[in-house]
Amino acid sequence: MPTPYERVASPADLPAPGRPPLTRPVAGRWVGGVCAGIAEHLDVSLRRVHLLFVVLAILGPGIPIYLFLWAVTPSSDTGGERRDPGALRAVTGLGESRWGMFVAAGGLLVLVGAVVGLQLAGVDVRAGVLLPLLLIAVGVTVAWSHLDDAERTKWLGTQQQDRGMLWLRLGLGTVVAVIGILVLTIRGGSLAEMGDALLATLAVLMGAALIAAPWVVRLWRDYREEQEVAARANERADIAAHLHDSVLQTLALIQRRSHDPASVTQLARAQERELRSWLYAGPAGSDETLASAVTAAAHDVEDHSGIVIDLVVTGDRPLEEHGTALARALREAMLNATRHGRPPVTAYVEIGPTGVEAYVRDRGEGFELDDIPEDRLGVRASILGRMERHGGTARVRRREDGTEVELTLPPLEGDD
Amino acid sequence: MSTQPKQVRGPVRIVLVDDHRMFRTGVRSELAEEAGAAIEIVGEAPDVEAAVKVIRETRPDVVLLDVHLPGGTGKGGADVINGCYGVETEAGAPVRFLALSVSDAAEDVIAVIRAGARGYVTKTITARDLGTAVRRVADGDAVFSPRLAGFVLDAFGAAAGEIAEVDEELDRLSAREREVMRLIARGYQYKEVAKELFISVKTVETHVSSVLRKLQLSSRHELTAWAMGRRLV
């Protein structure tokens, strides 16, 4: 049933029909996957895109355009195949990025070679400008690849050793880019001038950092706050959805059945139990213990009979065959108490090193074991017989005020 | 008229502290129906500050105290008990507290008991049992629900077989106290416990009071750490 709080997938989450989002596919990428992504996005052949980029690169703007697209387009492994992060990273992620690095390094060498070659051949391609520009491009690429990976690790779960790698890459990229800028600015100058320029650059950078710092800090804090608010809103929506599906439904039912006190009590009790278990959920895997088995049995009887059973359990042990038998016999005893006795029905189970003792008590007229006809299997077979088969005992005592059934089990073997 | 001095005492004067008005109204009418003139409700309060004020003004015999209350330092019922430290009734007896709660979470219950409440019952209790519990607390005895008894057995390691060698030991139950607690956990009334163990009701009351004292004073780590980590369900 949809609730007003349920999150509906926003249009942005849905792939636009007919046009896949612009991403850089992991499979089949040569360098950064930009061309493949564009081909997929615009539904044109990959070869054409490659051709276009080669032409553009020769004309000039190709490489900056490529780098720009590469930096701003998310890799598709962050969106599509989040499911199996380990495998993805191991098989494709690393392999592809290494392959890409080879291609990039090769391309770079060819470019440098071409520039130097042309310059030496006498054609003026202004190597003094081009080479530093290339250097800057490499630095920026190395630094920006950090962003790409940072995003990836965010999805795959942060890995500590990768973190160091990322910072190293960022630092290295910055250094290379700064050297490129220096070389560009002091073309042909002396070493002393270079020192001065370096100082000036550093001063400018530090000044900029100082001016920008408060703003960056506030931006970061705002971002964190926004994230927290979103998380809280999510949690609220979860709680609201749960309450809507459980408590509100039950309250509506109670209003409609207000003329029937028995079913109102039953509904209220069942809802109380459900809410409690949701609020105070026990540790994981707790449903395989004797305590939880007898608790489940008591809840079951409550649901059947509509009579509240006050169950107290102390201690616990793993659930095995004998424990299961005890839980079943206890269930039968509680059913008897709700049928033949009067409330309040109380049950107490003590699980200790000397064995298990369980008591079910009601306030009714009670019954004598000898009064029970032979053909009534309830007490004889499901309580007495069952306990004896499992090495335990069962006793029915009629008290002044009601009846008490007592069940015992010996301790588990291996226990003291 | 020659009546025994015990009956001369007037009605038990009580103050209701609960932040749900509906619940206060319900308890008021139930107690009026059940106990009639034997119990007189002299005040009500919805939060910690109002409760402390009303209790200091009216000096009741018993305060029915919800475990979860708004106001104070956020500790609910325990704050009220701490705020009323030293307040006495006109007869010179201390004001006594009976904790009421819908929650069985151990840390809540243990917090009010250790602050000084004389007992704990759940809000699903019948009017008759509530009347009995109020009178018992007014007489200075302790009131344990089966669930609190079960918790005590667990927390003191009695269910696992730890037994005090001397009764005065604070961190473990004596063999007799353990028996009494087990019978209460089984749903026995004090009267039935007495009959089962061949002792007087007064002796049962003494044992229960002694367990309450241990619960309040013991430094057994289960009572602090254990109660926080696990819920009493």
Side-chain angles (χ1 to χ4, degrees):
Chain A
M1 180 176 230
T3 75
Y5 303 98
E6 216 162 88
R7 279 182 305 155
V8 182
S10 68
D13 294 346
L14 303 169
R19 177 159 297 184
L22 180 59
T23 57
R24 294 182 289 109
V26 173
R29 61 163 67 162
W30 280 18
V31 184
V34 172
C35 292
I38 289 173
E40 205 173 294
H41 179 63
L42 299 177
D43 196 21
V44 291
S45 86
L46 182 57
R47 188 172 301 181
R48 268 192 216 177
V49 181
H50 276 152
L51 206 66
L52 179 74
F53 264 94
V54 169
V55 171
L56 279 176
I58 291 166
L59 288 180
I63 291 170
I65 290 178
Y66 188 95
L67 285 176
F68 174 75
L69 282 174
W70 173 78
V72 298
T73 314
S75 181
S76 71
D77 63 343
T78 62
E81 304 168 59
R82 223 177 280 166
R83 289 286 152 96
D84 196 3
L88 191 78
R89 188 170 190 79
V91 178
T92 47
L94 260 179
E96 287 294 333
S97 79
R98 200 158 284 167
W99 172 232
M101 230 182 263
F102 271 121
V103 174
L108 203 67
L109 275 179
V110 169
L111 266 174
V112 172
V115 170
V116 174
L118 282 171
Q119 188 75 21
L120 286 182
V123 187
D124 184 20
V125 286
R126 307 184 64 189
V129 178
L130 264 183
L131 285 180
L133 274 181
L134 267 177
L135 209 56
I136 295 169
V138 169
V140 168
T141 309
V142 170
W144 279 42
S145 69
H146 156 79
L147 268 186
D148 186 37
D149 263 35
E151 190 145 311
R152 188 182 299 165
T153 36
K154 200 164 87 189
W155 288 111
L156 302 180
T158 324
Q159 282 140 334
Q160 279 303 324
Q161 73 266 35
D162 279 15
R163 272 221 147 161
M165 231 6 235
L166 289 180
W167 286 114
L168 185 71
R169 214 188 273 185
L170 187 65
L172 212 65
T174 314
V175 168
V176 172
V178 166
I179 291 173
I181 293 170
L182 283 175
V183 172
L184 189 64
T185 43
I186 57 152
R187 254 171 309 156
S190 71
L191 216 63
E193 272 176 66
M194 191 160 163
D196 284 351
L198 189 67
L199 266 178
T201 314
L202 273 178
V204 168
L205 278 178
M206 276 173 67
L210 274 178
I211 292 163
W215 180 75
V216 169
V217 166
R218 210 180 60 198
L219 203 69
W220 175 248
R221 203 185 298 142
D222 283 356
Y223 170 70
R224 292 299 293 266
E225 263 171 30
E226 235 166 70
Q227 267 191 328
E228 257 171 49
V229 168
R232 264 204 296 276
N234 252 343
E235 205 178 313
R236 261 186 88 80
D238 275 352
I239 292 173
H242 180 88
L243 292 184
H244 179 272
D245 291 348
S246 58
V247 178
L248 288 185
Q249 303 289 346
T250 308
L251 285 178
L253 271 179
I254 285 177
Q255 282 168 38
R256 276 173 44 199
R257 295 201 199 160
S258 52
H259 53 273
D260 180 3
S263 78
V264 167
T265 315
Q266 201 172 335
L267 280 170
R269 179 72 180 170
Q271 184 55 61
E272 181 196 337
R273 260 192 347 244
E274 196 270 339
L275 196 59
R276 254 183 221 291
S277 68
W278 187 67
L279 286 174
Y280 309 125
S286 65
D287 40 323
E288 282 307 306
T289 68
L290 182 51
S292 57
V294 297
T295 310
H299 291 171
D300 191 31
V301 173
E302 271 184 1
D303 288 344
H304 261 285
S305 61
I307 292 173
V308 172
I309 293 173
D310 216 342
L311 172 74
V312 176
V313 185
T314 64
D316 207 351
R317 75 182 201 190
L319 188 63
E320 32 57 77
E321 185 194 351
H322 303 310
T324 312
L326 179 106
R328 291 206 180 121
L330 193 73
R331 181 177 182 279
E332 200 61 38
M334 290 187 287
L335 266 180
N336 261 319
T338 57
R339 277 195 206 125
H340 307 298
R342 263 188 304 112
V345 176
T346 48
Y348 173 60
V349 181
E350 186 176 293
I351 306 160
T354 54
V356 184
E357 287 172 64
Y359 303 88
V360 178
R361 171 96 205 267
D362 67 63
R363 310 273 158 183
E365 289 297 304
F367 56 92
E368 275 306 342
L369 200 51
D370 297 337
D371 300 346
I372 301 170
E374 287 292 330
D375 57 327
R376 280 283 311 280
L377 275 176
V379 173
R380 280 195 184 282
S382 21
I383 301 180
L384 302 184
R386 186 178 269 147
M387 291 316 293
E388 270 158 26
R389 275 199 304 282
H390 288 272
T393 62
R395 201 154 62 108
V396 180
R397 290 166 76 196
R398 174 186 264 172
R399 303 193 51 84
E400 210 175 294
D401 176 21
T403 312
E404 189 170 57
V405 177
E406 181 188 332
L407 311 172
T408 64
L409 265 189
L412 284 180
E413 274 168 40
D415 271 16
D416 293 323
Chain B
M1 276 235 239
S2 63
T3 46
Q4 288 175 324
K6 219 178 173 178
Q7 260 95 22
V8 171
R9 204 181 69 181
V12 180
R13 302 172 71 243
I14 72 174
V15 164
L16 274 178
V17 182
D18 196 302
D19 54 331
H20 296 101
R21 201 167 52 82
M22 253 167 63
F23 182 77
R24 294 202 305 268
T25 317
V27 169
R28 191 182 263 276
S29 66
E30 271 182 3
L31 280 181
E33 206 173 293
E34 168 64 31
I39 289 178
E40 186 195 347
I41 295 172
V42 296
E44 286 184 18
D47 57 44
V48 172
E49 285 77 17
V52 173
K53 192 162 167 277
V54 167
I55 293 165
R56 286 189 176 277
E57 274 166 15
T58 56
R59 299 159 77 192
D61 297 307
V62 178
V63 179
L64 278 184
L65 186 63
D66 190 9
V67 169
H68 292 285
L69 280 178
T73 61
K75 281 188 263 164
D79 277 341
V80 177
I81 300 178
N82 293 331
C84 296
Y85 185 76
V87 180
E88 289 186 341
T89 62
E90 273 162 40
V95 172
R96 286 163 176 134
F97 295 87
L98 174 60
L100 271 172
S101 134
V102 284
S103 142
D104 297 321
E107 62 258 42
D108 300 341
V109 180
I110 297 311
V112 278
I113 295 272
R114 282 175 81 93
R118 295 294 298 170
Y120 157 75
V121 291
T122 49
K123 283 186 175 174
T124 48
I125 191 173
T126 61
R128 204 177 109 207
D129 290 346
L130 184 59
T132 316
V134 166
R135 276 187 289 270
R136 188 156 274 143
V137 169
D139 287 338
D141 292 323
V143 171
F144 275 33
S145 68
R147 214 153 259 173
L148 182 55
F151 171 75
V152 166
L153 287 170
D154 249 347
F156 282 97
E162 281 187 52
I163 288 301
E165 277 146 31
V166 285
D167 282 2
E168 287 70 33
E169 197 178 327
L170 277 179
D171 290 348
R172 283 187 289 188
L173 301 183
S174 73
R176 210 45 155 174
E177 287 161 356
R178 173 171 179 263
E179 279 314 304
V180 171
M181 282 298 121
R182 287 187 67 204
L183 288 171
I184 290 175
R186 276 159 72 177
Y188 282 49
Q189 309 287 331
Y190 285 17
K191 187 167 87 229
E192 295 169 312
V193 174
K195 202 173 157 207
E196 182 81 10
L197 298 178
F198 305 105
I199 53 180
S200 72
V201 174
K202 201 69 226 163
T203 315
V204 175
E205 283 168 353
T206 313
H207 284 310
V208 177
S209 293
S210 140
V211 174
L212 182 82
R213 207 173 66 87
K214 289 187 180 180
L215 198 50
Q216 285 168 346
L217 299 179
S218 170
S219 54
R220 211 183 147 95
H221 70 92
E222 279 91 341
L223 286 177
T224 45
W226 190 96
M228 301 306 280
R230 199 169 141 177
R231 315 272 176 164
L232 177 62
V233 176

